Amino acid sequence: MDRFARLVSRALTVPVAFVSLVEENQEILPGLFGLPEPWAGRRALPVSHSLCRYVVVSGQPLVVPDARADDRLRTNPAIEDLAIVAYAGMPLTDGDGLVLGSLCAIDHEPRTWNEGELRDLEDLAAACSAELCLRILSAQSRSAQEVLETARAAADRARNDAQRLEQEAQAGMDHAELLLRASEELAQTSGLEDVRRRLRDLFVGVGKPSYVGLLVAGEDELHRVPDPDIAHAVEREVLTLPADAAFPSTQAMRERRMVFVPDREAMVADYSPEAVGFFDRMGFTTVLCLPLWGSRVLLGVLAICWDKRHEVGVTERATLTAASGYIAQAVERALYLDERISVARELQAAMLTDLPLTDHVEISALYQPAADDHMIGGDWYDAYHLPRVSASDGERTALMVTVGDITGHDMHAATIMGQIRSMLRQATLDHPPYSPATALTALDAACSVLPIEAGGTLVHARLDPADDSPDWTLTWSNAGHPPPLIRTPDGHVAQLVEHDILFHRSLGPYNRTEHQRRLLPGSTLLLYTDGLVERRRHDMHATVAQLVALLARHGDRPLDDLLHRISNRLADPSPEDDVVLLAVRTPVIAQR
């Protein structure tokens, strides 16, 4: 949290910044920078001194150039006690969108906050909110771990029970095997699809049910988890059931108990015609529905169905109930992991730049995540207009584009990616006339001294309109990244192979070089990450040659179509790495 406060201080050039969480009687400061004592030592402020509470109450950013002139704030004692004059705060939210506090920047002098500063503060607040969500989930995970340890103790007892059942009767062997397999097969599951896949053969030895289904509880309904590998008619016909539907599974959800339907007569007597018709079409006769309990709430329902009448005795019911406990633990772990992956994906997507609107060049980007949801990557693209250096620049403004790849495939890589992107933007805009090499050199210098474990590759480029012709000039600096491609209007494709070393804090400051090339009207620049061309058991040079051929052949198509065509032809259907593509095309001269 202190790191986020420091980032705000550096990005917005303010003397004070902090991360606040607003409670009923006080404002907690888990992250702070520049706050004087005694507040810094206490890491808390009284509510009377809180400006962040206005962000929590409204759920909206609070941006004040001078608090002394603001009707809401001018009597706040923080103006005198903390020397707060200018204030900008962005909401911090949890996974449900509840506003917990604020990430704020404070100046001791009146200040007009510009749009770029507020965007940077908003980006940092989004990353900080994601970090808070992860910490909340981590605390919940520790609680789930305690439940898991209890379950493991229960598994030991189940194994002992299984041994006694084996001694008592041959029939008990099937039930003992089910418990053993459940404890072993479900202990290492990941997402819900993995749980559903392992359920497929788990109950084969126990009365041979014709179908075993998994339904997860929503707010007011049950959602069936389809088998990821085998299409079942039952899963195609009914994927969602309202909680008030007259079905055995929804009854088990509502009443929080096992529901047993021995035959069709009982189904007709106790359930709706829709339920009877459904079970007739599926060929089910006997149904057993077991609630799946998590550590705190009901997670869903396990539905076990037989196509012939099946007597479920006391021993079998006890065995299936015990097995449902293992399944519930696996489902709870899967829901936690799926939610964490979803948060990571949302964070990564939030950090990808909206492409600038321009009438002068055509620009398009494509991001394709890795097939493995756990492989959260650090690939990114960026594009933005540069300020005009002089009035003679005309209507066509220079454009900065970047494609990069942070080393790693986890939440840390995605977070570092967001920091590096913001730092590179700042380094570029702080060094007119916006040399790519100068910006990368400044980034290297910053990474060598800041506590950021950053490493990877990137291409940083500037496109400038020519003063005396419709041509454009490309200036680029390459930090160990795959070579960009240029396609001229006649279809010729060239690789821009000039490059320097990759960037990494252990390599220290490095004087980057840059290169230039004239771009004719209608030329196309293509930047990409190594996930497109580098795969196991494939020759990278051959894949790059395929990419060159595709760009030469289809490079005159609309850029969105071009990027999708390249991705469909080259990207692995189940990519092991993220893929980013960015294309820019200079305007074609209008025919007279």
Side-chain angles (χ1 to χ4, degrees):
M1 294 296 108
D2 282 344
R3 179 179 295 173
F4 280 106
R6 290 194 300 272
L7 286 172
V8 170
S9 174
R10 287 197 295 270
L12 276 70
T13 318
V14 292
V16 179
F18 51 79
V19 178
S20 74
L21 300 177
V22 180
E23 297 182 345
E24 183 176 356
N25 299 316
Q26 63 178 341
E27 178 176 335
I28 304 298
L29 306 177
L32 55 85
F33 177 85
L35 198 66
E37 296 294 342
W39 318 106
R42 297 173 183 170
R43 284 191 176 266
L45 294 173
V47 172
S48 62
H49 288 60
S50 174
L51 275 66
C52 297
R53 60 194 171 100
Y54 294 96
V55 177
V56 173
V57 170
S58 67
Q60 300 296 323
L62 177 63
V63 180
V64 181
D66 190 341
R68 298 169 302 183
D70 190 285
D71 292 337
R72 296 167 296 176
L73 309 177
R74 61 187 179 189
T75 61
N76 194 297
I79 295 175
E80 180 177 351
D81 295 346
L82 303 178
I84 295 178
V85 177
Y87 173 93
M90 295 292 171
L92 297 176
T93 60
D94 64 10
D96 296 323
L98 178 67
V99 179
L100 306 175
S102 170
L103 179 66
C104 62
I106 295 169
D107 206 330
H108 299 318
E109 301 293 336
R111 175 173 183 160
T112 299
W113 306 94
N114 64 49
E115 184 177 347
E117 291 171 333
L118 296 179
R119 280 200 304 267
D120 289 343
L121 185 60
E122 184 180 14
D123 287 345
L124 289 169
C128 188
S129 294
E131 179 67 17
L132 288 172
C133 290
L134 287 178
R135 294 190 180 200
I136 293 169
L137 289 173
S138 177
Q140 294 172 348
S141 175
R142 287 193 296 271
S143 175
Q145 185 65 31
E146 294 174 1
V147 174
L148 185 59
E149 293 298 330
T150 302
R152 286 173 178 163
D156 292 337
R157 293 193 297 270
R159 289 187 178 91
N160 294 333
D161 292 341
Q163 291 176 358
R164 290 194 299 272
L165 288 171
E166 187 176 8
Q167 295 170 357
E168 291 172 359
Q170 182 65 35
M173 292 180 63
D174 287 341
H175 306 298
E177 182 182 358
L178 171 62
L179 293 177
L180 289 170
R181 291 176 62 191
S183 64
E184 294 170 356
E185 288 291 323
L186 299 173
Q188 302 300 322
T189 52
S190 52
L192 280 176
E193 282 193 356
D194 189 24
V195 175
R196 180 64 185 87
R197 182 179 287 111
R198 293 175 188 248
L199 280 179
R200 185 188 305 146
D201 301 321
L202 189 61
F203 292 85
V204 171
V206 181
K208 296 181 180 180
S210 56
Y211 174 76
V212 178
L214 176 63
L215 299 98
V216 176
E219 185 174 352
D220 293 306
E221 54 194 9
L222 280 176
H223 303 279
R224 195 179 302 276
V225 180
D227 191 310
D229 305 315
I230 300 175
H232 294 279
V234 59
E235 294 175 346
R236 291 195 302 270
E237 182 162 337
V238 178
L239 286 173
T240 301
L241 282 171
D244 58 358
F247 275 66
S249 53
T250 51
Q251 182 184 4
M253 175 188 179
R254 291 192 304 270
E255 299 180 6
R256 268 59 171 168
R257 65 176 180 86
M258 176 191 296
V259 171
F260 179 60
V261 183
D263 50 35
R264 189 179 187 280
E265 287 72 18
M267 179 69 70
V268 171
D270 297 329
Y271 299 99
S272 67
E274 291 79 11
V276 175
F278 171 74
F279 282 92
D280 283 346
R281 291 192 299 277
M282 295 302 108
F284 299 151
T285 299
T286 299
V287 178
L288 178 68
C289 293
L290 296 160
L292 298 175
W293 283 99
S295 56
R296 294 176 299 169
V297 298
L298 181 71
L299 303 173
V301 173
L302 180 71
I304 307 173
C305 307
W306 291 266
D307 54 8
K308 297 180 180 179
R309 185 182 175 93
H310 181 76
E311 297 295 336
V312 183
V314 174
T315 300
E316 187 173 354
R317 290 193 185 200
T319 302
L320 294 175
T321 301
S324 71
Y326 294 114
I327 296 168
Q329 293 160 26
V331 169
E332 185 167 46
R333 182 171 58 251
L335 290 172
Y336 163 71
L337 291 175
D338 288 348
E339 182 176 3
R340 188 175 72 172
I341 290 166
S342 176
V343 168
R345 286 289 185 206
E346 289 176 7
L347 169 63
Q348 188 176 32
M351 289 182 175
L352 293 176
T353 306
D354 291 332
L355 296 176
L357 299 176
T358 174
D359 295 330
H360 308 302
V361 295
E362 186 181 353
I363 183 169
S364 181
L366 176 67
Y367 171 74
Q368 180 178 352
D372 186 348
D373 284 335
H374 297 280
M375 301 288 281
I376 305 300
D379 292 25
W380 93 93
Y381 61 83
D382 201 2
Y384 48 93
H385 287 297
L386 294 171
R388 297 179 183 179
V389 177
S390 67
S392 63
D393 287 351
E395 295 184 358
R396 298 189 297 172
T397 56
L399 181 71
M400 211 78 194
V401 294
T402 313
V403 163
D405 185 0
I406 296 298
T407 303
H409 298 92
D410 52 22
M411 175 64 83
H412 180 69
T415 304
I416 292 296
M417 175 266 283
Q419 296 179 14
I420 292 298
R421 186 199 68 172
S422 297
M423 290 170 64
L424 183 57
R425 276 189 171 193
Q426 186 74 31
T428 302
L429 296 173
D430 277 351
H431 294 87
Y434 315 115
S435 157
T438 300
L440 282 180
T441 301
L443 178 66
D444 282 328
C447 288
S448 68
V449 296
L450 294 175
I452 300 177
E453 295 296 332
T457 67
L458 64 87
V459 173
H460 195 42
R462 190 184 75 240
L463 286 92
D464 297 280
D467 294 332
D468 55 353
S469 74
D471 296 351
W472 289 67
T473 301
L474 172 68
T475 306
W476 79 94
S477 185
N478 187 331
H481 200 75
L485 303 180
I486 290 289
R487 182 190 186 274
T488 55
D490 61 3
H492 176 72
V493 176
Q495 298 186 50
L496 307 183
V497 297
E498 297 86 351
H499 67 88
D500 299 325
I501 62 174
L502 55 78
F503 72 92
H504 194 280
R505 65 171 304 183
S506 64
L507 299 178
Y510 182 83
N511 291 323
R512 298 285 174 180
T513 61
E514 66 185 25
H515 312 274
Q516 284 191 345
R517 177 168 293 213
R518 196 82 163 182
L519 299 184
L520 298 174
S523 297
T524 301
L525 167 67
L526 179 66
L527 307 178
Y528 55 94
T529 55
D530 60 4
L532 181 69
V533 296
E534 188 176 81
R535 299 193 297 275
R536 295 178 186 176
R537 298 179 296 277
H538 286 77
D539 181 75
M540 181 174 175
H541 296 290
T543 308
V544 171
Q546 287 182 271
L547 174 60
V548 169
L550 282 171
L551 182 58
R553 182 177 180 183
H554 303 291
D556 56 351
R557 291 178 175 271
L559 291 187
D560 287 347
D561 179 54
L562 172 64
L563 296 187
H564 281 92
R565 185 174 292 268
I566 290 174
S567 176
N568 291 339
R569 295 286 183 87
L570 290 186
D572 195 312
S574 299
E576 299 175 353
D577 195 3
D578 290 10
V579 174
V580 159
L581 287 161
L582 177 72
V584 181
R585 179 175 295 149
T586 58
V588 179
I589 301 175
Q591 297 294 327
R592 292 183 178 273

